[in-house]
Amino acid sequence: MGRTTVEVAAPRTAAIYLRISEDREGRELGVTRQQQHCRQLAKRLGVKVVAIFTDNDISAAAASQKERPEYLRMIRDAKTGLFGTIIAYTSGRLTRAPREFEGQIDLARNHGVLFQFVASPSFDLTTSAGRMMARMMAAKDTGEVEDISERQSDRKQQLIANGEWTGGRRPFGYDDDGLTLRPAEQERGLDAAKRLLAGDSARSIFTEWNVAGMTTTAGGPWDGSNFRQMILRPRNAGRVGKIPPGTKDFRKALDKLPKSRWPPLFAPDDRQAAEDTWVALMIKMTDPTRQKNGGATSLVLVGSHLYTCWCGSIARSGGTTASKQSRYMCKGGGHTRLAGPVDELVRAVVCARLDSQGVRLLPKTGDREPLLKRLALLKARAEEAAALFGDPESGFTAEQLKVTNARLKPKIEEVERELAQLADGSALEGIADAPSPSAAFLAKGIERQRVIIGALVEVTILKAPRGRRDFDPETVRIVPRPRPA
Ligand SMILES: [Zn+2]
């Protein structure tokens, strides 16, 4: 991004713009450090710093409305040709509102001024593509951009912004350059992702790898932690950087990361598909029901966190009876039921459905296409709105932007939910199309069985009459779930 514009035409003189403000970056990264960083960047760019402008935004809440005298003076001086480059720590330091950004575009187009930032990407404002990108950045919450830059060291941040690898140990699936795929490892990684999505446990996969003598790139065995770290890295989706802890909206978080210069491991030729896989995997791997009692292998009973109790509460593994028989106990009311007969019945119903419907249970391959198209369209609309807002001639107001976003957000979320459901349907691949679907199902581990059951039926444990000893199938309600049409 920024790099190429610099190498093509860097004017000889530059101004540095510094701003101290109430936000975290402004407080923590005082003017002195901002200036140091900007001077270093100037040196790298080979430009001479001829002026420094500093605004202080700390005073009062009205600051956002207040004019910045030094900023305005700098714009004036730039127009007279006193300097050809303006350097700031981040684009957020320079631009507080999308509106101000138009003044910068004018400087770039009519006066050939370049903008360079220490810790955010620079765009060539003399091209329409560059302006479009920069407008979108400016229309976004600048706070988000600044937050990211705070967490990274400065040099690293620059590399990340440019989509480059920040170095370190060889990443699994790639050569030492971090860019070139190693086909054998890439296939393994992609296969692991598919199996996880289909319901296999992480443990079953990395145990296989260990048995096959396949080590981590450090030469050690795989375990739950290094496997998880490897499979969930944004690198696999063709993005650079990290997802902040506590993230709930994985798609949004991923969108904020710069695109990588290396091909995504999950789909080297299709970035969208790689991102979809990654998002589905994040949702799956952070599913709270997988983490109860310490990890993916903790599901003792196949219906744990899957069946519903008659009281409406979710059923979980509830220890054993005096005669050592496993039982379900609902979370809310503590109602218990022997697990064996219930699971046997549920498995029988699922087997019958698998054998009778077979491949018809599989999601059609074309199912994802219209959803992906719709998602792309909705996102394009959101971006269009942001771009309109950045263009003062459009008359598009902040209020209109807010309304548009509020309308688009639930639609985008709905499509993403549907895509996730389709990923669930993929649990049936290799099962519903097996020579004997029921045998293939029963041969699978408890994790995978659980996903398949959840995809095919809805199970409710009904209230059983007291005192009855033998199992009455009438006390379990099993309703088939409709398959994607
Ligand atoms: Zn209950």
Side-chain angles (χ1 to χ4, degrees):
M1 284 184 265
R3 294 202 152 182
T4 47
T5 61
V6 176
E7 283 152 13
V8 174
R12 287 284 136 83
T13 52
I16 289 177
Y17 180 74
L18 310 168
R19 180 161 71 90
I20 186 147
S21 63
E22 279 290 9
D23 59 56
R24 263 165 69 206
E25 182 191 311
R27 281 200 315 271
E28 289 170 16
L29 196 75
V31 280
T32 319
R33 266 192 69 209
Q34 284 183 46
Q35 186 178 334
Q36 279 170 4
H37 287 297
C38 291
R39 280 192 181 276
Q40 281 162 10
L41 177 60
K43 211 172 164 187
R44 283 207 302 278
L45 296 172
V47 292
K48 188 169 175 243
V49 176
V50 294
I52 293 178
F53 300 88
T54 309
D55 277 314
N56 187 337
D57 264 6
I58 282 210
S59 44
S64 58
Q65 299 302 321
K66 208 178 55 183
E67 288 199 331
R68 289 183 287 164
E70 286 286 277
Y71 177 83
L72 294 175
R73 196 161 71 85
M74 176 179 72
I75 300 290
R76 264 200 317 275
D77 285 358
K79 282 182 183 166
T80 66
L82 272 175
F83 39 83
T85 299
I86 291 176
I87 298 174
Y89 186 71
T90 58
S91 52
R93 289 295 91 193
L94 190 63
T95 318
R96 276 183 329 188
R99 213 155 294 272
E100 291 170 334
F101 188 66
E102 298 306 318
Q104 292 164 27
I105 286 184
D106 171 61
L107 275 185
R109 292 176 90 170
N110 302 323
H111 306 274
V113 175
L114 288 181
F115 293 88
Q116 294 295 335
F117 307 107
V118 174
S120 46
S122 311
F123 301 98
D124 183 355
L125 299 181
T126 60
T127 70
S128 63
R131 287 194 294 276
M132 174 76 187
M133 291 290 287
R135 274 203 185 101
M136 274 163 52
M137 288 280 289
K140 276 188 187 165
D141 181 7
T142 48
E144 292 175 355
V145 178
E146 289 167 2
D147 255 359
I148 293 168
S149 64
E150 277 177 28
R151 283 194 302 273
Q152 314 280 354
S153 71
D154 309 315
R155 205 186 92 80
K156 224 172 163 181
Q157 177 61 27
Q158 189 65 49
L159 286 170
I160 289 171
N162 289 330
E164 285 175 57
W165 186 37
T166 53
R169 214 174 67 210
R170 177 177 79 79
F172 179 84
Y174 296 83
D175 276 346
D176 288 321
D177 60 4
L179 299 170
T180 316
L181 279 169
R182 289 198 172 181
E185 286 185 3
Q186 188 264 330
E187 275 165 35
R188 286 249 190 181
L190 177 58
D191 178 62
K194 283 183 177 163
R195 285 172 59 186
L196 287 167
L197 284 175
D200 281 1
S201 71
R203 180 172 297 275
S204 71
I205 298 169
F206 69 70
T207 304
E208 247 175 57
W209 289 8
N210 286 337
V211 169
M214 201 179 68
T215 64
T216 67
T217 58
W222 291 95
D223 58 37
S225 147
N226 61 28
F227 176 81
R228 190 183 163 87
Q229 215 168 24
M230 182 281 290
I231 204 78
L232 294 180
R233 21 171 225 199
R235 155 178 281 274
N236 299 343
R239 299 280 184 156
V240 198
K242 287 184 180 144
I243 299 293
T247 295
K248 291 209 173 70
D249 187 338
F250 298 118
R251 176 92 48 183
K252 192 173 158 201
L254 193 66
D255 277 346
K256 276 191 217 159
L257 301 181
K259 285 201 164 81
S260 67
R261 297 201 176 221
W262 56 82
L265 183 127
F266 287 160
D269 301 316
D270 186 347
R271 283 180 178 265
Q272 182 67 53
E275 289 177 12
D276 290 343
T277 301
W278 183 87
V279 170
L281 211 51
M282 284 301 283
I283 292 169
K284 193 118 204 161
M285 298 287 280
T286 54
D287 179 353
T289 64
R290 292 175 70 96
Q291 281 158 21
K292 299 269 150 96
N293 315 319
T297 55
S298 68
L299 290 172
V300 187
L301 298 174
V302 77
S304 178
H305 293 277
L306 179 63
Y307 302 166
T308 311
C309 178
W310 54 267
C311 70
S313 171
I314 200 85
R316 309 186 288 190
S317 300
T320 53
T321 62
S323 53
K324 298 254 186 283
Q325 288 176 289
S326 299
R327 60 182 191 183
Y328 288 109
M329 184 186 288
C330 81
K331 194 179 173 194
H335 307 118
T336 59
R337 179 65 83 84
L338 276 188
V342 179
D343 291 343
E344 204 177 313
L345 179 68
V346 169
R347 284 195 175 102
V349 170
V350 165
C351 282
R353 187 162 188 213
L354 280 167
D355 284 340
S356 68
Q357 291 184 277
V359 287
R360 277 173 291 158
L361 294 169
L362 289 177
K364 293 195 194 80
T365 41
D367 285 350
R368 278 180 68 227
E369 279 308 305
L371 286 175
L372 287 175
K373 271 192 190 140
R374 188 164 150 73
L375 187 64
L377 190 75
L378 289 167
K379 287 194 165 170
R381 276 202 206 134
E383 281 170 7
E384 202 177 36
L388 271 176
F389 177 56
D391 179 359
E393 283 167 31
S394 75
F396 200 78
T397 65
E399 188 56 33
Q400 282 173 300
L401 180 66
K402 223 167 114 186
V403 169
T404 308
N405 283 339
R407 217 177 44 224
L408 289 173
K409 200 170 167 241
K411 289 183 182 168
I412 289 175
E413 283 170 355
E414 193 197 314
V415 175
E416 298 204 318
R417 254 197 314 278
E418 285 178 40
L419 279 169
Q421 272 171 11
L422 275 186
D424 250 9
S426 67
L428 292 161
E429 276 168 25
I431 306 284
D433 48 355
S436 167
S438 59
F441 163 71
L442 293 173
K444 284 292 172 188
I446 220 161
E447 281 281 341
R448 179 79 176 262
Q449 284 192 6
R450 177 177 175 274
V451 180
I452 294 167
I453 292 172
L456 291 180
V457 292
E458 201 180 325
V459 179
T460 311
I461 301 175
L462 302 176
K463 205 169 180 174
R466 283 199 159 269
R468 266 205 52 184
R469 290 263 129 179
D470 53 330
F471 175 69
D472 178 3
E474 294 290 311
T475 59
V476 182
R477 188 170 64 217
I478 304 173
V479 183
R481 277 186 202 278
R483 299 299 308 144

